[in-house]
Amino acid sequence: NYVTDRPTNVETNSILVELDTAKRYWFDGSAWTWENEPVLPTVSGLILHIDASDASTITKDGSNLVSAWNDKSGQANHVTQATGSKQPLWVDQVQDTFPTIRFDGSNDEMAVTYGSSLSTAATVFIVCTMPTASGGERMVFDGLTSGGRFAYLKSSGNIHYMYRGNGVSSTTVDKTMRMFTLVWNGSSSSLGIDGTDVTTGNVGTQSPTGLRLGAQYNSANFGDTDICEILIYGS
């Protein structure tokens, strides 16, 4: 978001508007800064924050295969995949000029174990595309064990589905990049899409000990999903 290839022989407080993106930049006397750069508020209980647009948090090879996606929450819950054939792909210029981490829906997955950080209640904000490949359930993410599910997926009926021992379903999925808000709170759980609640219900009360991206807890039912950013709160 910081412009490094703009001229600096201009007056302090100059404004630059890019015609192709309509983004406004402000010059502070030494560097250009995107005026609308988002600043996240400080909210207690953040367990995991991964962001595909932060290159400093991503370890990838020359083919852009991702082996580590580091957590920005301060909890060191880094998401990793050591096996090259199972690593997702970093793809640039996907969403509003920003990159994404692309899971192929065949065998790509990443995981992290974070112990007992999550109990019954949790909130997940995720910017991603839903899986649309045929063949039954397709996962965005899940827990790590059969007794610690934390699943968000496309069901075999091609609808949004949340599961933690009990399931709640919603509207038909599509491949549009959206922000999903998942509130996990037993019988008072809910799913929101782009800021609008679309369903409520009882998802169950299993307590996950970790997170698996792009696959079911048992490394099955892989999802063809692009993930831009995830924040998980333990409340």
Side-chain angles (χ1 to χ4, degrees):
N1 298 339
Y2 292 90
V3 180
T4 58
D5 58 352
R6 301 290 188 255
T8 56
N9 58 337
V10 297
E11 294 183 4
T12 300
N13 296 325
S14 293
I15 299 294
L16 181 149
V17 179
E18 289 183 342
L19 295 180
D20 56 341
T21 66
K23 291 180 179 178
R24 289 165 54 91
Y25 298 88
W26 168 72
F27 188 68
D28 66 2
S30 61
W32 291 95
T33 302
W34 182 26
E35 273 195 336
N36 297 318
E37 183 175 11
V39 178
L40 288 173
T42 300
V43 180
S44 62
L46 183 61
I47 292 171
L48 181 141
H49 178 199
I50 50 178
D51 179 3
S53 70
D54 188 344
S56 68
T57 67
I58 296 171
T59 302
K60 56 187 178 69
D61 66 12
S63 299
N64 290 325
L65 293 174
V66 179
S67 58
W69 194 358
N70 285 354
D71 174 29
K72 300 170 64 171
S73 73
Q75 305 301 317
N77 289 318
H78 309 313
V79 184
T80 61
Q81 175 54 265
T83 303
S85 61
K86 297 182 178 182
Q87 291 170 354
L89 188 67
W90 179 90
V91 185
D92 201 8
Q93 302 285 316
V94 172
Q95 176 63 19
D96 293 336
T97 74
F98 294 112
T100 188
I101 305 299
R102 177 165 295 167
F103 295 79
D104 65 6
S106 176
N107 66 346
D108 290 355
E109 58 178 309
M110 302 185 79
V112 59
T113 300
Y114 44 67
S116 58
S117 300
L118 285 181
S119 57
T120 300
T123 301
V124 176
F125 299 98
I126 178 170
V127 176
C128 68
T129 60
M130 290 298 295
T132 56
S134 60
E137 295 181 345
R138 296 290 179 173
M139 314 300 296
V140 177
F141 62 79
D142 200 353
L144 300 180
T145 66
S146 60
R149 300 293 302 277
F150 190 58
Y152 184 46
L153 63 143
K154 176 198 78 95
S155 74
S156 57
N158 202 40
I159 55 178
H160 297 268
Y161 199 80
M162 297 170 62
Y163 183 86
R164 279 181 76 173
N166 194 59
V168 171
S169 60
S170 181
T171 55
T172 302
V173 305
D174 58 39
K175 201 62 177 176
T176 304
M177 184 75 71
R178 302 186 188 279
M179 185 186 78
F180 301 98
T181 304
L182 299 98
V183 179
W184 309 78
N185 192 25
S187 60
S188 300
S189 300
S190 65
L191 168 65
I193 301 178
D194 290 337
T196 300
D197 284 344
V198 295
T199 191
T200 59
N202 181 12
V203 299
T205 57
Q206 291 187 4
S207 296
T209 57
L211 182 73
R212 190 177 305 279
L213 298 180
Q216 196 171 352
Y217 71 92
N218 57 351
S219 297
N221 294 330
F222 298 93
D224 54 319
T225 177
D226 281 6
I227 300 177
C228 292
E229 189 167 10
I230 304 176
L231 292 97
I232 300 179
Y233 292 88
S235 60

